[in-house]
Amino acid sequence: MHIEFTQADDSHVEDLVELVNSAYRGDSSKEGWTTEADLLDGQRADEDGIREIINKDDSVILIAEDDDTGDLLGCVHLEKQGAKCYLGMLTVDPTLQSQGIGKMLLAESEALAQFWDCTTIFMTVISVRTELIAWYEKHGFRNTGEKKPFPYGDERFGIPKVKNLEFTVLEKKI
């Protein structure tokens, strides 16, 4: 498999929605090593939200595609916010997780953040997703101790199955 990294455009919207939802929610997400299916029902992304990210200034979705087949393997959302770069929606097809694609997407993210002259990459992760937080820490991120509220009542981000969800802020100096 030869992986090519490019920026998503409107032609990728449907495939991105399918990929992101399959990796975060429902039974398909359980094929991978990390899932939110036990925490949230519903969608993780929709077409309008993906289009908004793609068309927003200082915001991109990097995609990893199999150069031979054109299959979408993974993606990550990056947004320049001054000297910081927000990283979100890091996604790898659940059937392809643990093959290094996530690490490659992180490396591409860091390269773009440096190109943007950012000094820090930051993200939010649901605080009870300890295995995911540990993965990011293994890749140089640190827990800032800052917490952010989960958007209860906004079904665009899912329907909580548990109470007291919150986000933990992680960051990495680059």
Side-chain angles (χ1 to χ4, degrees):
M1 173 175 12
H2 179 261
I3 299 175
E4 180 178 338
F5 296 93
T6 59
Q7 290 185 18
D9 59 34
D10 286 333
S11 71
H12 297 104
V13 170
E14 287 181 27
D15 290 339
L16 283 166
V17 169
E18 183 179 332
L19 172 70
V20 170
N21 287 328
S22 74
Y24 280 84
R25 309 283 161 74
D27 289 338
S28 63
S29 68
K30 294 177 182 178
E31 292 183 47
W33 67 268
T34 181
T35 177
E36 294 177 348
D38 296 330
L39 304 172
L40 298 157
D41 272 332
Q43 68 181 25
R44 170 61 174 80
D46 62 24
E47 289 184 15
D48 289 342
I50 296 291
R51 261 191 211 89
E52 184 179 319
I53 291 169
I54 289 171
N55 294 308
K56 185 176 183 181
D57 290 341
D58 295 323
S59 174
V60 299
I61 297 177
L62 289 179
I63 58 173
E65 291 180 298
D66 184 324
D67 199 30
D68 299 323
T69 65
D71 291 342
L72 188 58
L73 310 174
C75 68
V76 62
H77 169 217
L78 299 163
E79 185 173 322
K80 183 175 177 11
Q81 297 180 2
K84 291 187 173 189
C85 180
Y86 171 76
L87 183 150
M89 203 170 66
L90 179 63
T91 307
V92 175
D93 179 317
T95 65
L96 300 173
Q97 290 178 9
S98 298
Q99 295 185 28
I101 297 169
K103 288 180 218 172
M104 288 186 260
L105 281 163
L106 272 182
E108 292 292 321
S109 298
E110 287 183 31
L112 181 58
Q114 288 173 332
F115 176 78
W116 281 343
D117 292 325
C118 294
T119 57
T120 304
I121 294 180
F122 75 100
M123 70 180 72
T124 57
V125 178
I126 295 174
S127 60
V128 295
R129 297 191 67 201
T130 55
E131 81 291 341
L132 185 58
I133 291 170
W135 187 85
Y136 282 117
E137 289 175 336
K138 185 172 108 176
H139 291 90
F141 286 83
R142 69 171 187 81
N143 187 334
T144 66
E146 182 183 354
K147 304 287 184 188
K148 293 193 175 198
F150 184 85
Y152 282 95
D154 189 343
E155 291 187 4
R156 291 178 303 157
F157 301 102
I159 303 164
K161 294 180 172 184
V162 298
K163 296 181 188 268
N164 303 320
L165 291 177
E166 65 182 353
F167 293 105
T168 295
V169 178
L170 305 176
E171 72 176 20
K172 179 178 184 178
K173 302 288 184 195
I174 53 171

